[in-house]
Amino acid sequence: MLRCDTWTGTLVPKAGMGFPRKKFAAAAVAGKILVAGGCTRSSVVEEYDPDENVWRVASDAPRRRYGCIGASADGVFYVIGGLKIGPSGNDGSVSASRASGAEAAHVYASSMDLYDVAARVWLRSRAVPGGGCVVAACGANGNVYILSSHAVELSFWKFNASRKSASFGEWSRIKSPPLPAQVRLDSTVRFSCVGVGDKVVLVQVVGCIDDLLRRSGRTERGLKEGLVLVYDCAGGEWTRGADMPEVIRRAACVCVEC
């Protein structure tokens, strides 16, 4: 692992995780970094203490996921979406051993597991309404925001993550991100999002098909990449930001207060 000093741009090597992972969920919660998923041989969740430069085993996840997304809100680590890998663990209300492969994949792609970091317990798992495949998620303004793909359209959801609220755990479908008219989705589209204050910044990190190029008969596969959209959590509206000057494919986004 590397620590980047955002003031100087320097990189400092830090202790590595105890378990090899690929396409895993990660989030900062209460001054620690938690990771889960992406490990074929274990469902272990690890926690990094930046003050001690030490990784510790925090828990075992109820589902073993690959390609999942991490988010945090109100002291809870959210492990969202992805694919099922390896034998099933403690899957809560869903028994992967009784489900078909397709059903199990659907459950993983549109669900999230909640880990209370302070209490060291897993809360009840939640399903994202409407199914689909979760392609981006982040915590912002006391909520978890989730973008789901339904092959030809996107849906955008808000999960009330404030545990002291009477409406904790409630879902709301909110305005979907407005893609340019000439762009259509396909199975390769990828987004990354991050909460910045009371905003959600959505960055397109793998291209959509440019339908105008496709219909013009040009042989190359036209792609639109680097699109940046900003959602105002208070106002409920999207605005378009400046496109990224350089696309870093499949990048993850983080917010650092300076």
Side-chain angles (χ1 to χ4, degrees):
M1 187 173 74
L2 298 173
R3 185 187 71 188
C4 176
D5 187 319
T6 56
W7 284 101
T8 64
T10 57
L11 295 173
V12 179
K14 293 294 179 179
M17 292 180 286
F19 293 80
R21 301 177 188 270
K22 184 179 180 181
K23 294 187 178 181
F24 54 90
V29 189
K32 305 291 195 300
I33 298 173
L34 282 94
V35 297
C39 184
T40 58
R41 298 182 179 180
S42 175
S43 59
V44 70
V45 176
E46 293 181 89
E47 178 185 81
Y48 176 74
D49 186 328
D51 294 329
E52 300 181 22
N53 188 31
V54 171
W55 286 92
R56 297 184 177 92
V57 172
S59 181
D60 283 303
R63 292 184 174 97
R64 194 177 298 179
R65 301 172 184 263
Y66 177 83
C68 45
I69 302 167
S72 70
D74 200 10
V76 174
F77 177 39
Y78 291 80
V79 186
I80 311 168
L83 302 173
K84 177 183 182 295
I85 56 172
S88 59
N90 177 20
D91 276 13
S93 61
V94 179
S95 174
S97 62
R98 295 196 302 267
S100 68
E103 290 172 333
H106 172 75
V107 167
Y108 279 62
S110 60
S111 69
M112 61 184 187
D113 298 320
L114 290 65
Y115 180 64
D116 185 328
V117 174
R120 303 289 182 182
V121 296
W122 289 91
L123 308 179
R124 180 170 64 88
S125 297
R126 309 298 173 108
V128 181
C133 177
V134 175
V135 294
C138 70
N141 206 34
N143 301 295
V144 173
Y145 291 86
I146 292 179
L147 182 69
S148 288
S149 171
H150 306 271
V152 295
E153 65 175 356
L154 298 171
S155 63
F156 194 48
W157 299 88
K158 179 177 71 174
F159 177 84
N160 188 322
S162 178
R163 289 185 290 167
K164 293 182 179 180
S165 169
S167 56
F168 169 69
E170 291 186 1
W171 291 95
S172 302
R173 183 167 183 173
I174 51 183
K175 190 173 184 179
S176 298
L179 295 178
Q182 73 271 26
V183 171
R184 69 181 178 89
L185 297 173
D186 73 350
S187 60
T188 66
V189 65
R190 295 290 184 274
F191 294 92
S192 183
C193 72
V194 61
V196 183
D198 62 350
K199 305 288 193 299
V200 172
V201 179
L202 182 68
V203 181
Q204 180 193 1
V205 291
V206 174
C208 297
I209 295 175
D210 186 326
D211 207 36
L212 291 181
L213 287 179
R214 182 187 63 82
R215 287 185 291 171
S216 70
R218 294 173 62 174
T219 56
E220 67 267 25
R221 187 174 184 271
L223 295 177
K224 289 289 186 182
E225 296 180 322
L227 178 69
V228 176
L229 297 169
V230 180
Y231 180 76
D232 186 328
C233 300
E237 293 294 333
W238 288 92
T239 56
R240 183 165 178 176
D243 290 358
M244 291 183 64
E246 181 180 354
V247 177
I248 303 175
R249 289 199 158 200
R250 301 184 183 274
C253 299
V254 296
C255 173
V256 179
E257 295 183 6
C258 299

